[in-house]
Amino acid sequence: MASVAAAEGAAAALRSVLSRAHQAAARAGRAPGSVRVVAVSKTKPVAVIRSVYDAGHRCFGENYVQELIDKAPQLPEDIEWHFIGNLQSNKARALLAKFGVDPSGCVALAIHVKLNCPNLVFSGLMTIGMLDYSSTPENFKTLSNCRKEVCKELEIPEEQCELSMGMSADFEQAIEMGSTNVRVGSTIFGAREYPKKN
């Protein structure tokens, strides 16, 4: 059972993250509503997620299918869930073969999705950044440039192409550099709690 302190701490942390995201958007000359904050709740109990929901947040992310399947039915139906992990299913083998590309392959992948994947809708680009989950301005600039190239080739306005970059360590910088979607977990929920292996 999640402690009251953990639940209250997560709600307070959410308010801080939202404030920081709005300030970063303002510094970049963008409206606060132009950035989606996905509260990444992996490994956290339902009670802590509920406290963030009760604080007014509706956008949550999970890395593991089983956690999403277990948690979603226990929480309100108006939550907007984002699955941000690797999908491990025999039915998704073809999709798994293209779960990431170098920047030089972005345009080709986007064209492939548009022309050859009728059940998928291309909606944007995402980067994780460095192995320590932080990024540099160059990483964000690279993805922003990829979006420009993809939008030009697909003949869509850049506003219709999400740019998902930035996590707990660097979401403000990512917003300032054009991110429309940031994934914030440990800053809201605290360090992840993985079960110990025997």
Side-chain angles (χ1 to χ4, degrees):
M1 188 76 172
S3 72
V4 173
E8 290 175 355
L14 168 72
R15 288 188 291 275
S16 174
V17 165
L18 292 175
S19 174
R20 291 167 57 193
H22 292 165
Q23 291 169 12
R27 286 192 299 272
R30 297 170 49 204
S34 68
V35 178
R36 176 187 304 114
V37 174
V38 178
V40 181
S41 53
K42 58 185 173 184
T43 77
K44 297 302 173 183
V46 170
V48 174
I49 299 167
R50 181 63 189 233
S51 71
V52 173
Y53 174 90
D54 290 343
H57 203 64
R58 297 296 182 268
C59 189
F60 293 85
E62 284 294 340
N63 275 52
Y64 301 105
V65 172
Q66 193 58 52
E67 279 198 67
L68 182 59
I69 290 170
D70 292 345
K71 292 175 183 177
Q74 300 177 59
L75 291 159
E77 291 182 9
D78 65 335
I79 287 180
E80 177 185 318
W81 287 104
H82 291 250
F83 180 69
I84 57 175
N86 290 330
L87 184 60
Q88 298 173 348
S89 166
N90 292 336
K91 295 179 181 178
R93 233 178 255 281
L95 181 60
L96 287 174
K98 55 189 197 302
F99 69 90
V101 295
D102 288 331
S104 62
C106 278
V107 171
L109 178 61
I111 290 171
H112 176 79
V113 168
K114 183 177 180 180
L115 298 178
N116 300 306
C117 302
N119 294 325
L120 296 178
V121 175
F122 175 78
S123 61
L125 302 170
M126 180 182 106
T127 187
I128 301 258
M130 309 304 279
L131 291 177
D132 65 356
Y133 297 110
S134 65
S135 263
T136 64
E138 293 79 26
N139 298 124
F140 296 145
K141 186 72 175 158
T142 297
L143 193 65
S144 183
N145 288 339
C146 286
R147 176 171 70 171
K148 286 183 177 115
E149 293 173 26
V150 165
C151 290
K152 180 180 175 188
E153 288 296 319
L154 297 182
E155 298 179 341
I156 60 173
E158 286 186 33
E159 299 78 39
Q160 290 181 8
C161 182
E162 292 270 351
L163 198 55
S164 182
M165 55 188 193
M167 296 165 54
S168 287
D170 55 16
F171 71 91
E172 292 162 296
Q173 181 181 44
I175 292 168
E176 291 173 9
M177 297 194 70
S179 182
T180 59
N181 194 73
V182 292
R183 302 167 313 276
V184 182
S186 59
T187 300
I188 295 172
F189 294 105
R192 294 180 189 99
E193 300 162 6
Y194 294 106
K196 296 188 190 252
K197 294 182 180 178
N198 294 334

